[in-house]
Each structure stands twice: as structure tokens, then as C-alpha cells.
């Protein structure tokens, strides 16, 4: 008899503990049942306590009907997963009409509790969705739904201060020139927006839907690569913003010109001459201060030759002086002199590079005063690629965009009531 009394008292304590953890006020735990796989928590309405409308959360005096029993997955207790069982009431709301009641432990139509959903969402920021599903014994699609709901909540409830400096770039989604557009707040170092493509029509949604007309007027600097649709949209929607072409992309085009000269020349050289310039690609493209002792010695040997490859190397090194200038007039004079030299060099890749520079000078010269780059966006792109790699890619852009927002945008998670 004493043992039965102690056992009954312990069961009551477990029920009380669970009721307090779930934050139940108009409901109570009626029974705790343990099976081989789950611990099942039976919940019922507490007396005639007023229930809340599932839409507006107003208290409702009248219960319209009782629906069939539903189950919700909850966090495990020790190693035993919890399930909540309850027969939802449909209440007569004076504002919304007949609605299913509000559940203090879960969101409407969810099949997991808010506590479990938040735990899954936190882990999904570190692991793949499949790995998160295995950890909590859920289906992959359940994790995808939880993440998408968390992203929807986060985008709706995140802080939206004024944005003054942004970076725009594209990131590859899969093979075949399929891209996403990423917009980053360079001042706050946070992801702002992800678009499904890099076309003008797709990126226009950032300015019209995400920013809006009034917020576009607060933009002061937009850092980007020389992609025409981006330029057109900024000039149309953010006329107060200064366009700044990213240093990383300009240097990338410059290095491509150097490498193209090297490849063209290697095809022309004899077999004996090729030996000298073999394995010289990264020797010519790396910054001199990053070279090792052996590499510096080899480079000093190469530059003694009067070949197009050496001329391309010298042109590349002289152009890098531009990034040190702080006065626009002097920087422009250096660029003009450099472009004249490049056009006289008889190197076709450099002539092509010069033509590109001349058509974009208005977005290159502001570097001297702004000193901004898309380095943070490139770092974000690497993180985005790691999200794709750990999941072995995403079949749909919708899931990939949700994962990017979830991991990179610092979105708040739903509040547990």
C-alpha cells in the first residue's frame, strides 16, 4: 500500500512538471502513459476555463464543438520521445467566427511543439536537414517545414533599421550558369535578401518589395560587380546611391587578362622556350609579398625576359598602385596613363580590359574615398556554398533560399509562450 501511494505521488509530480513546462493554464495533464517507443501525455481542458481563438487569440466563452484527437511531437525526456494527445475544441469567437482554439504548446496546424521546432531550427543551422532529422527522429520533410516556418516568422519579425551601404553579388546554385542573387548589409554585416536569379526582373523585387520606395532613398553606396542588370536597377530605384564596382571583381578581370596573355604566348613559344615559363601561372598572379623565397628567385629570373608575358606582369603590378591612392584626381591621372600604356602594349586581353574600365570609370574612381569592397559578401558566399555542400545540394531553389536565410540572416525564432 505504501509503495502504491509513493508511485501515485511520483506520477502526479511528473504530470505537474509537464503541465508547467508546457505553460498550461486552461488545460491540464490528465494521464502520462509510457510505451516501448514513446511517453504519451494526455491533455484535456481544465474545467470550464476560457479558451482562446486560434486566429486572434481573444478569449472565447462558447465552445462550438470538439474535434477528433490530435498528436504533437515534443522534446524527449531522457531518451524517450514525448507525444502530446489532445482533442481540440472549435470555439465561437466574437470577431473571427468559429475557429479552432489556440494551443499554448504549438503553432496552428503544426505537428510538433514550439519547443521541439525551435530545437530543430537551431540544430539545422549547423547540420544538414537530413542529419537534423536523424537526430530528432523526424522525417526530412518535417525539418524542411519547420525551417521554412521559422524563416517566415523571422523575416516578419526581424529588426528593419535604415540601410545605407549594401553589397550585391551572385552565387552559383547548381551547374549550368544557374545563380542566386545575394544582398548584404555591409554596415551591419547581415544578409538582407536572396533572389532566385540574377536577371533584372528577379532582382527588381529587392528594391520594390523588400526595400520599398522610401527605404531605397536611404541607400548611399551599392557595391557590386559590373553586371548590367544590377547597375540599371540601382540607377532606377536608388538614385541617391553611389555605385561602387567591387575591387575583387576588377582584379579578377585583370588577372584573367594576364593569364590569357600567358596562355596565348605558351602556344606560340618553342618547346625549349616553354621550359622557362612552365608552372608560372600562380607565380605571375600572386602578390609579390605572398611569394616564398624560391618563388621570388624564380620570378626575378623570368622578368629578365622581354616577352609579352613579362609585359603583362608589369602592367598588372602598376595597376595595383591605384588602390593606394586617396585623391580622385591623382588616381584618375594614374589610370589614364596606365590605360594608354596598356593600349600601346599590343596585348589584346589588356585592350579588352581597358575598354571595360573606360565604360565603368564612374563606379571605379569612388574607391579612393569610400574604401569599400564586397569582401564580406564573398565570405557570405563561401558560407552559402558550405550550406549546399553539407546537404549535397538542393533540388529546389525554394529550399536552398530558406536554408540561406535560416543560416545567414540572424533571424529570430518563434517565441515559446
Amino acid at each position: 500500500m505504501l509503495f502504491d501511494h509513493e508511485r501515485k505521488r511520483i506520477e502526479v509530480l511528473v504530470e505537474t512538471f509537464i503541465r508547467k513546462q508546457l505553460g498550461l493554464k486552461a488545460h491540464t495533464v490528465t494521464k502520462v502513459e509510457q510505451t516501448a517507443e514513446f511517453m504519451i501525455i494526455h491533455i484535456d481542458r481544465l474545467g470550464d476555463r476560457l479558451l482562446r481563438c486560434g486566429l486572434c487569440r481573444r478569449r472565447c466563452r462558447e465552445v462550438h464543438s470538439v474535434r477528433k484527437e490530435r498528436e504533437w511531437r515534443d522534446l524527449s525526456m531522457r531518451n524517450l520521445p514525448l507525444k502530446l494527445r489532445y482533442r481540440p475544441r472549435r470555439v465561437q469567437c466574437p470577431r473571427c467566427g468559429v475557429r479552432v482554439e489556440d494551443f499554448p504548446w504549438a503553432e496552428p496546424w503544426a505537428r510538433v511543439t514550439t519547443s521541439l521546432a525551435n530545437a530543430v531550427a537551431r540544430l539545422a543551422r549547423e547540420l544538414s536537414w537530413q542529419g537534423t532529422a536523424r537526430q530528432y527522429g523526424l522525417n526530412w520533410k518535417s525539418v524542411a517545414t519547420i525551417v521554412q516556418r521559422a524563416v517566415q516568422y523571422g523575416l516578419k519579425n526581424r529588426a528593419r533599421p535604415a540601410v545605407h551601404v549594401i553589397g550585391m553579388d551572385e552565387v552559383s546554385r547548381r551547374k549550368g550558369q544557374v545563380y542566386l542573387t545575394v544582398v548584404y548589409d555591409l554596415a551591419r554585416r547581415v544578409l538582407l535578401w536572396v533572389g532566385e536569379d540574377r536577371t533584372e526582373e528577379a532582382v527588381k523585387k529587392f528594391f520594390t518589395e523588400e526595400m520599398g520606395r522610401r527605404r531605397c532613398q536611404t541607400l548611399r553606396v551599392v557595391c557590386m560587380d559590373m553586371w548590367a542588370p544590377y547597375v540599371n536597377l540601382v540607377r532606377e530605384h536608388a538614385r541617391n546611391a553611389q555605385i561602387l564596382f567591387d575591387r575583387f571583381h576588377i582584379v579578377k578581370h585583370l588577372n584573367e587578362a594576364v593569364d590569357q596573355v600567358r596562355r596565348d604566348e605558351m602556344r606560340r613559344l618553342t618547346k625549349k622556350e616553354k621550359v622557362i615559363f612552365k608552372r608560372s601561372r600562380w607565380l605571375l598572379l600572386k602578390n609579390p609579398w605572398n611569394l616564398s623565397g624560391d618563388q621570388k628567385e624564380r620570378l626575378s629570373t623570368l622578368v629578365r625576359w622581354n616577352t609579352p608575358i613579362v609585359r603583362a606582369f608589369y602592367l598588372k603590378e602598376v595597376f595595383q598602385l591605384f588602390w593606394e591612392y586617396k585623391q580622385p584626381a591623382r588616381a584618375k591621372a594614374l589610370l589614364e596613363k596606365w590605360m594608354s600604356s596598356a593600349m600601346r602594349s599590343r596585348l589584346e586581353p589588356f585592350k579588352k580590359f581597358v575598354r571595360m574600365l573606360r565604360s565603368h570609370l564612374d563606379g571605379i574612381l569612388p574607391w579612393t574615398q569610400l574604401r569599400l569592397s564586397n569582401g564580406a559578401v564573398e565570405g557570405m558566399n563561401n558560407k552559402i556554398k558550405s550550406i549546399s555542400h553539407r546537404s549535397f545540394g538542393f533540388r529546389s531553389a525554394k529550399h536552398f533560399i530558406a536554408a540561406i536565410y535560416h543560416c545567414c540572416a540572424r533571424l529570430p525564432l518563434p517565441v515559446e509562450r
Side-chain angles (χ1 to χ4, degrees):
M1 291 294 293
L2 182 61
F3 176 77
D4 291 341
H5 176 72
E6 289 294 328
R7 178 181 171 185
K8 184 177 181 181
R9 187 167 67 86
I10 291 172
E11 288 178 355
V12 171
L13 289 175
V14 170
E15 291 166 0
T16 305
F17 170 78
I18 294 172
R19 176 174 58 81
K20 290 184 176 180
Q21 287 295 309
L22 293 175
L24 305 182
K25 294 181 180 179
H27 305 79
T28 188
V29 177
T30 58
K31 185 173 66 171
V32 177
E33 180 184 350
Q34 183 175 336
T35 65
E37 297 180 354
F38 297 99
M39 181 178 286
I40 302 171
I41 313 301
H42 295 267
I43 299 174
D44 201 356
R45 183 186 180 188
L46 183 59
D48 293 328
R49 296 282 181 93
L50 298 183
L51 304 175
R52 294 182 180 273
C53 171
L55 189 63
C56 67
R57 300 199 71 245
R58 289 185 62 178
R59 292 181 182 275
C60 305
R61 294 185 176 277
E62 185 179 347
V63 174
H64 179 272
S65 59
V66 181
R67 306 192 72 176
K68 65 179 182 180
E69 192 172 63
R70 281 175 57 183
E71 285 189 350
W72 293 263
R73 274 289 306 273
D74 196 11
L75 288 167
S76 301
M77 182 175 288
R78 302 285 292 178
N79 293 325
L80 205 59
L82 265 65
K83 277 188 177 181
L84 310 184
R85 284 185 181 173
Y86 175 65
R87 298 187 68 188
R89 271 64 171 174
R90 299 179 72 205
V91 294
Q92 184 72 47
C93 177
R95 177 186 293 177
C96 309
V98 178
R99 296 284 177 180
V100 177
E101 65 171 299
D102 175 69
F103 308 115
W105 57 84
E107 297 297 317
W109 306 111
R111 289 294 180 266
V112 297
T113 63
T114 307
S115 299
L116 178 57
N118 284 354
V120 169
R122 290 190 191 96
L123 189 60
R125 285 176 173 167
E126 307 298 331
L127 300 181
S128 67
W129 292 357
Q130 186 68 57
T132 304
R134 283 196 296 266
Q135 181 68 25
Y136 285 100
L138 298 173
N139 185 276
W140 179 90
K141 292 182 180 179
S142 299
V143 176
T145 302
I146 289 170
V147 171
Q148 287 173 346
R149 285 180 176 171
V151 168
Q152 290 172 2
Y153 175 88
L155 291 175
K156 184 179 179 181
N157 295 276
R158 67 175 172 175
R160 291 171 60 86
V163 180
H164 302 297
V165 184
I166 63 172
M168 301 178 67
D169 199 7
E170 72 272 354
V171 61
S172 177
R173 183 168 76 82
R174 59 187 171 94
K175 292 182 180 179
Q177 302 294 315
V178 181
Y179 293 98
L180 300 176
T181 296
V182 178
V183 182
Y184 195 70
D185 186 341
L186 294 176
R188 292 170 52 229
R189 301 262 172 170
V190 66
L191 179 71
L192 287 180
W193 183 81
V194 185
E196 194 167 334
D197 204 345
R198 63 170 182 167
T199 61
E200 192 166 333
E201 189 63 30
V203 183
K204 185 178 180 180
K205 294 179 181 179
F206 168 73
F207 294 97
T208 57
E209 298 177 10
E210 172 65 23
M211 293 290 289
R213 185 176 178 181
R214 291 184 63 182
R215 298 188 79 217
C216 281
Q217 294 174 359
T218 66
L219 288 175
R220 293 293 174 262
V221 182
V222 181
C223 191
M224 65 177 79
D225 61 9
M226 289 171 276
W227 180 243
Y230 294 170
V231 177
N232 296 337
L233 287 169
V234 173
R235 287 174 177 167
E236 180 184 353
H237 296 280
R239 297 179 181 179
N240 298 331
Q242 170 64 59
I243 294 175
L244 177 64
F245 294 121
D246 180 39
R247 172 179 176 174
F248 171 83
H249 288 90
I250 296 171
V251 173
K252 179 183 175 184
H253 286 295
L254 176 63
N255 287 340
E256 287 174 353
V258 175
D259 196 44
Q260 186 60 49
V261 171
R262 184 192 63 83
R263 282 182 288 178
D264 292 343
E265 190 65 13
M266 288 295 284
R267 295 190 192 102
R268 190 189 64 83
L269 292 175
T270 64
K271 189 173 182 180
K272 185 178 179 181
E273 291 172 327
K274 283 182 180 180
V275 175
I276 301 168
F277 291 97
K278 267 192 173 182
R279 297 188 298 275
S280 62
R281 181 186 180 190
W282 300 114
L283 203 64
L284 298 170
L285 297 183
K286 285 177 72 174
N287 290 319
W289 53 87
N290 290 331
L291 296 174
S292 64
D294 293 340
Q295 288 175 328
K296 288 179 181 178
E297 186 176 344
R298 185 160 178 246
L299 181 62
S300 65
T301 304
L302 289 181
V303 297
R304 294 173 190 165
W305 289 68
N306 185 18
T307 67
I309 298 177
V310 175
R311 293 204 302 274
F313 171 75
Y314 278 127
L315 283 171
K316 185 204 78 164
E317 290 303 312
V318 173
F319 181 86
Q320 301 287 22
L321 296 175
F322 167 77
W323 308 115
E324 305 300 324
Y325 279 78
K326 296 184 179 179
Q327 297 178 350
R330 291 189 175 183
K332 185 176 181 181
L334 172 73
L335 272 186
E336 292 290 351
K337 185 177 179 180
W338 184 90
M339 288 189 291
S340 298
S341 299
M343 292 300 286
R344 294 195 304 268
S345 67
R346 293 176 295 176
L347 302 176
E348 193 55 41
F350 275 84
K351 291 182 180 181
K352 182 180 177 182
F353 178 68
V354 168
R355 288 191 286 270
M356 183 193 70
L357 286 183
R358 282 179 174 163
S359 61
H360 295 90
L361 273 180
D362 56 341
I364 297 173
L365 290 174
W367 157 265
T368 56
Q369 296 177 316
L370 297 174
R371 301 282 169 172
L372 289 171
S373 74
N374 265 357
V377 184
E378 295 299 328
M380 178 65 65
N381 287 352
N382 289 334
K383 186 173 182 180
I384 290 171
K385 290 174 185 175
S386 71
I387 294 169
S388 178
H389 291 162
R390 76 189 184 199
S391 301
F392 298 96
F394 290 85
R395 290 187 178 180
S396 70
K398 179 182 176 183
H399 284 154
F400 192 20
I401 290 173
I404 294 170
Y405 271 125
H406 188 59
C407 297
C408 305
R410 299 206 296 262
L411 299 178
L413 293 176
V415 179
E416 298 180 29
R417 292 174 289 184

